[in-house]
Short mmCIF file of all heavy atoms in Angstrom, two decimals:
data_model
loop_
_atom_site.label_atom_id
_atom_site.label_comp_id
_atom_site.label_asym_id
_atom_site.label_seq_id
_atom_site.Cartn_x
_atom_site.Cartn_y
_atom_site.Cartn_z
N ALA A 1 32.43 145.41 258.44
CA ALA A 1 31.51 144.94 259.48
C ALA A 1 32.31 144.40 260.66
O ALA A 1 33.29 143.68 260.50
CB ALA A 1 30.61 143.84 258.92
N GLY A 2 31.90 144.79 261.88
CA GLY A 2 32.57 144.31 263.09
C GLY A 2 33.77 145.13 263.51
O GLY A 2 34.42 144.79 264.51
N TRP A 3 34.06 146.22 262.78
CA TRP A 3 35.23 147.04 263.11
C TRP A 3 34.85 148.52 263.17
O TRP A 3 34.10 149.02 262.32
CB TRP A 3 36.35 146.85 262.09
CG TRP A 3 36.95 145.49 262.11
CD1 TRP A 3 36.53 144.40 261.38
CD2 TRP A 3 38.06 145.04 262.89
NE1 TRP A 3 37.32 143.31 261.65
CE2 TRP A 3 38.26 143.66 262.58
CE3 TRP A 3 38.90 145.65 263.81
CZ2 TRP A 3 39.27 142.91 263.17
CZ3 TRP A 3 39.91 144.90 264.40
CH2 TRP A 3 40.09 143.55 264.08
N LYS A 4 35.37 149.22 264.17
CA LYS A 4 35.26 150.66 264.25
C LYS A 4 36.52 151.27 263.64
O LYS A 4 37.63 150.82 263.94
CB LYS A 4 35.12 151.12 265.71
CG LYS A 4 33.86 150.60 266.40
CD LYS A 4 33.83 151.05 267.87
CE LYS A 4 32.61 150.51 268.58
NZ LYS A 4 32.59 150.91 270.02
N ILE A 5 36.35 152.26 262.78
CA ILE A 5 37.49 152.84 262.07
C ILE A 5 37.65 154.30 262.45
O ILE A 5 36.70 155.08 262.43
CB ILE A 5 37.31 152.72 260.54
CG1 ILE A 5 37.05 151.26 260.15
CG2 ILE A 5 38.53 153.26 259.81
CD1 ILE A 5 36.74 151.07 258.69
N GLU A 6 38.88 154.67 262.80
CA GLU A 6 39.20 156.05 263.16
C GLU A 6 40.34 156.55 262.28
O GLU A 6 41.38 155.90 262.16
CB GLU A 6 39.61 156.15 264.63
CG GLU A 6 39.94 157.57 265.07
CD GLU A 6 40.40 157.64 266.53
OE1 GLU A 6 40.43 156.58 267.19
OE2 GLU A 6 40.75 158.74 266.98
N VAL A 7 40.10 157.69 261.63
CA VAL A 7 41.10 158.29 260.75
C VAL A 7 41.69 159.51 261.44
O VAL A 7 40.95 160.43 261.83
CB VAL A 7 40.48 158.68 259.40
CG1 VAL A 7 41.52 159.36 258.51
CG2 VAL A 7 39.90 157.46 258.70
N THR A 8 43.01 159.53 261.61
CA THR A 8 43.70 160.63 262.28
C THR A 8 44.46 161.45 261.26
O THR A 8 45.21 160.90 260.45
CB THR A 8 44.68 160.10 263.34
OG1 THR A 8 43.97 159.28 264.28
CG2 THR A 8 45.35 161.25 264.08
N LYS A 9 44.27 162.78 261.31
CA LYS A 9 44.97 163.68 260.39
C LYS A 9 45.96 164.56 261.16
O LYS A 9 45.77 164.83 262.34
CB LYS A 9 43.98 164.57 259.64
CG LYS A 9 43.06 163.81 258.69
CD LYS A 9 42.17 164.77 257.92
CE LYS A 9 41.29 164.02 256.93
NZ LYS A 9 40.44 164.96 256.14
N SER A 10 46.99 164.99 260.44
CA SER A 10 48.01 165.86 261.04
C SER A 10 48.35 166.99 260.08
O SER A 10 48.21 166.84 258.85
CB SER A 10 49.27 165.06 261.38
OG SER A 10 48.99 164.02 262.30
N LYS A 11 48.80 168.10 260.65
CA LYS A 11 49.20 169.24 259.83
C LYS A 11 50.48 168.91 259.05
O LYS A 11 51.36 168.22 259.55
CB LYS A 11 49.45 170.46 260.71
CG LYS A 11 48.19 171.05 261.33
CD LYS A 11 47.33 171.75 260.27
CE LYS A 11 46.12 172.41 260.91
NZ LYS A 11 45.29 173.12 259.91
N LEU A 12 50.55 169.40 257.83
CA LEU A 12 51.72 169.16 256.99
C LEU A 12 52.71 170.31 257.12
O LEU A 12 52.31 171.49 257.18
CB LEU A 12 51.31 169.01 255.52
CG LEU A 12 50.40 167.82 255.19
CD1 LEU A 12 49.99 167.88 253.73
CD2 LEU A 12 51.13 166.51 255.48
N ALA A 13 53.97 169.96 257.15
CA ALA A 13 55.01 171.00 257.19
C ALA A 13 55.03 171.78 255.88
O ALA A 13 55.27 172.99 255.85
CB ALA A 13 56.37 170.37 257.46
N LYS A 14 54.74 171.06 254.78
CA LYS A 14 54.69 171.68 253.46
C LYS A 14 53.38 171.27 252.81
O LYS A 14 53.13 170.08 252.61
CB LYS A 14 55.88 171.24 252.61
CG LYS A 14 55.92 171.86 251.23
CD LYS A 14 57.13 171.38 250.46
CE LYS A 14 57.16 172.00 249.06
NZ LYS A 14 58.32 171.51 248.27
N PRO A 15 52.51 172.23 252.44
CA PRO A 15 51.21 171.90 251.85
C PRO A 15 51.36 171.11 250.54
O PRO A 15 52.33 171.25 249.80
CB PRO A 15 50.58 173.27 251.59
CG PRO A 15 51.28 174.20 252.52
CD PRO A 15 52.68 173.68 252.62
N LEU A 16 50.36 170.27 250.28
CA LEU A 16 50.31 169.51 249.04
C LEU A 16 49.27 170.13 248.11
O LEU A 16 48.36 170.84 248.56
CB LEU A 16 49.94 168.05 249.30
CG LEU A 16 50.91 167.21 250.14
CD1 LEU A 16 50.28 165.85 250.40
CD2 LEU A 16 52.24 167.05 249.42
N GLU A 17 49.42 169.87 246.81
CA GLU A 17 48.42 170.36 245.85
C GLU A 17 47.70 169.17 245.26
O GLU A 17 48.31 168.23 244.75
CB GLU A 17 49.09 171.17 244.75
CG GLU A 17 48.07 171.80 243.80
CD GLU A 17 48.71 172.76 242.81
OE1 GLU A 17 49.82 173.25 243.09
OE2 GLU A 17 48.09 173.02 241.77
N LEU A 18 46.36 169.18 245.33
CA LEU A 18 45.55 168.09 244.80
C LEU A 18 44.39 168.68 244.02
O LEU A 18 43.55 169.40 244.57
CB LEU A 18 45.01 167.21 245.95
CG LEU A 18 44.12 166.03 245.53
CD1 LEU A 18 44.94 165.02 244.73
CD2 LEU A 18 43.52 165.37 246.76
N HIS A 19 44.37 168.39 242.71
CA HIS A 19 43.32 168.90 241.82
C HIS A 19 43.19 170.42 241.91
O HIS A 19 42.09 170.97 241.95
CB HIS A 19 41.98 168.24 242.14
CG HIS A 19 42.02 166.75 242.09
ND1 HIS A 19 42.54 166.05 241.00
CD2 HIS A 19 41.63 165.82 242.99
CE1 HIS A 19 42.44 164.75 241.23
NE2 HIS A 19 41.92 164.58 242.44
N GLY A 20 44.34 171.09 241.99
CA GLY A 20 44.34 172.54 242.01
C GLY A 20 44.09 173.16 243.37
O GLY A 20 44.03 174.39 243.48
N GLU A 21 43.95 172.36 244.41
CA GLU A 21 43.69 172.88 245.75
C GLU A 21 44.88 172.61 246.67
O GLU A 21 45.55 171.59 246.54
CB GLU A 21 42.42 172.26 246.34
CG GLU A 21 41.15 172.59 245.57
CD GLU A 21 39.92 172.01 246.24
OE1 GLU A 21 40.08 171.38 247.30
OE2 GLU A 21 38.81 172.17 245.70
N GLN A 22 45.10 173.52 247.61
CA GLN A 22 46.17 173.36 248.58
C GLN A 22 45.68 172.50 249.76
O GLN A 22 44.66 172.81 250.38
CB GLN A 22 46.63 174.73 249.09
CG GLN A 22 47.37 175.56 248.06
CD GLN A 22 48.74 175.00 247.74
OE1 GLN A 22 49.44 174.51 248.63
NE2 GLN A 22 49.15 175.08 246.48
N ILE A 23 46.42 171.44 250.05
CA ILE A 23 46.08 170.55 251.15
C ILE A 23 47.07 170.81 252.28
O ILE A 23 48.28 170.68 252.11
CB ILE A 23 46.16 169.07 250.73
CG1 ILE A 23 45.29 168.83 249.49
CG2 ILE A 23 45.73 168.17 251.87
CD1 ILE A 23 43.83 169.12 249.69
N THR A 24 46.55 171.23 253.44
CA THR A 24 47.43 171.59 254.56
C THR A 24 47.53 170.49 255.62
O THR A 24 48.31 170.62 256.55
CB THR A 24 46.92 172.88 255.23
OG1 THR A 24 45.57 172.68 255.70
CG2 THR A 24 46.94 174.04 254.24
N GLU A 25 46.73 169.45 255.49
CA GLU A 25 46.81 168.33 256.41
C GLU A 25 46.57 167.02 255.67
O GLU A 25 45.97 167.01 254.59
CB GLU A 25 45.80 168.47 257.56
CG GLU A 25 44.35 168.48 257.11
CD GLU A 25 43.39 168.60 258.28
OE1 GLU A 25 43.85 168.89 259.40
OE2 GLU A 25 42.18 168.38 258.08
N ALA A 26 47.08 165.95 256.23
CA ALA A 26 46.95 164.64 255.59
C ALA A 26 46.76 163.57 256.66
O ALA A 26 47.07 163.80 257.85
CB ALA A 26 48.18 164.31 254.74
N VAL A 27 46.25 162.42 256.24
CA VAL A 27 46.03 161.32 257.17
C VAL A 27 47.38 160.78 257.64
O VAL A 27 48.25 160.45 256.83
CB VAL A 27 45.20 160.21 256.51
CG1 VAL A 27 45.14 158.98 257.42
CG2 VAL A 27 43.79 160.71 256.21
N SER A 28 47.55 160.70 258.94
CA SER A 28 48.79 160.18 259.51
C SER A 28 48.61 158.78 260.10
O SER A 28 49.59 158.06 260.28
CB SER A 28 49.31 161.12 260.61
OG SER A 28 48.31 161.31 261.61
N LYS A 29 47.35 158.41 260.39
CA LYS A 29 47.12 157.09 260.98
C LYS A 29 45.67 156.66 260.77
O LYS A 29 44.76 157.49 260.80
CB LYS A 29 47.45 157.10 262.47
CG LYS A 29 47.28 155.76 263.16
CD LYS A 29 47.80 155.79 264.60
CE LYS A 29 46.97 156.69 265.48
NZ LYS A 29 47.38 156.61 266.91
N VAL A 30 45.49 155.36 260.54
CA VAL A 30 44.15 154.77 260.51
C VAL A 30 44.13 153.63 261.53
O VAL A 30 45.05 152.80 261.56
CB VAL A 30 43.79 154.23 259.11
CG1 VAL A 30 42.41 153.56 259.15
CG2 VAL A 30 43.80 155.36 258.08
N THR A 31 43.10 153.63 262.37
CA THR A 31 43.00 152.64 263.44
C THR A 31 41.71 151.84 263.30
O THR A 31 40.63 152.43 263.18
CB THR A 31 43.03 153.31 264.82
OG1 THR A 31 44.21 154.11 264.94
CG2 THR A 31 43.01 152.27 265.93
N TRP A 32 41.84 150.53 263.30
CA TRP A 32 40.69 149.64 263.28
C TRP A 32 40.58 148.97 264.66
O TRP A 32 41.55 148.36 265.13
CB TRP A 32 40.84 148.56 262.22
CG TRP A 32 40.77 149.03 260.80
CD1 TRP A 32 39.68 149.05 259.98
CD2 TRP A 32 41.86 149.53 260.00
NE1 TRP A 32 40.01 149.53 258.74
CE2 TRP A 32 41.35 149.83 258.71
CE3 TRP A 32 43.22 149.76 260.26
CZ2 TRP A 32 42.15 150.34 257.70
CZ3 TRP A 32 44.01 150.27 259.25
CH2 TRP A 32 43.48 150.55 257.99
N THR A 33 39.43 149.06 265.28
CA THR A 33 39.20 148.45 266.60
C THR A 33 37.99 147.54 266.52
O THR A 33 36.93 147.95 266.00
CB THR A 33 38.97 149.52 267.67
OG1 THR A 33 40.09 150.45 267.66
CG2 THR A 33 38.87 148.88 269.05
N ALA A 34 38.13 146.31 267.01
CA ALA A 34 37.01 145.37 266.98
C ALA A 34 35.84 145.93 267.76
O ALA A 34 35.99 146.42 268.89
CB ALA A 34 37.45 144.03 267.56
N ALA A 35 34.65 145.88 267.16
CA ALA A 35 33.47 146.45 267.79
C ALA A 35 33.05 145.67 269.03
O ALA A 35 32.55 146.24 270.00
CB ALA A 35 32.31 146.50 266.79
N THR A 36 33.26 144.36 269.00
CA THR A 36 32.94 143.51 270.16
C THR A 36 34.09 142.54 270.37
O THR A 36 34.98 142.41 269.53
CB THR A 36 31.64 142.73 269.93
OG1 THR A 36 31.83 141.80 268.84
CG2 THR A 36 30.49 143.66 269.58
N LYS A 37 34.05 141.83 271.46
CA LYS A 37 35.12 140.88 271.77
C LYS A 37 35.12 139.69 270.82
O LYS A 37 36.12 138.97 270.72
CB LYS A 37 34.99 140.39 273.21
CG LYS A 37 33.70 139.61 273.49
CD LYS A 37 33.65 139.14 274.93
CE LYS A 37 32.37 138.34 275.20
NZ LYS A 37 32.33 137.85 276.61
N ASP A 38 34.00 139.48 270.12
CA ASP A 38 33.91 138.36 269.19
C ASP A 38 34.09 138.76 267.73
O ASP A 38 34.03 137.91 266.84
CB ASP A 38 32.54 137.67 269.34
CG ASP A 38 32.33 137.10 270.74
OD1 ASP A 38 33.32 136.62 271.32
OD2 ASP A 38 31.19 137.16 271.24
N SER A 39 34.32 140.05 267.46
CA SER A 39 34.40 140.52 266.07
C SER A 39 35.82 140.74 265.59
O SER A 39 36.03 141.25 264.50
CB SER A 39 33.60 141.82 265.92
OG SER A 39 34.11 142.83 266.76
N GLY A 40 36.82 140.38 266.38
CA GLY A 40 38.21 140.53 265.95
C GLY A 40 38.63 139.37 265.05
O GLY A 40 37.81 138.59 264.56
N ILE A 41 39.93 139.26 264.81
CA ILE A 41 40.47 138.16 264.01
C ILE A 41 40.77 137.00 264.95
O ILE A 41 41.63 137.09 265.82
CB ILE A 41 41.75 138.60 263.28
CG1 ILE A 41 41.51 139.89 262.48
CG2 ILE A 41 42.23 137.49 262.34
CD1 ILE A 41 42.75 140.45 261.85
#
């Protein structure tokens, strides 16, 4: 509550395998931004 969340993904140089599936991209960054000027820390 009070935070906007943005998940950034990037292409992988080498694919990963997860539960039998090939993963070609992964999360490289997560950004939390206060929704209002009063909702930060």
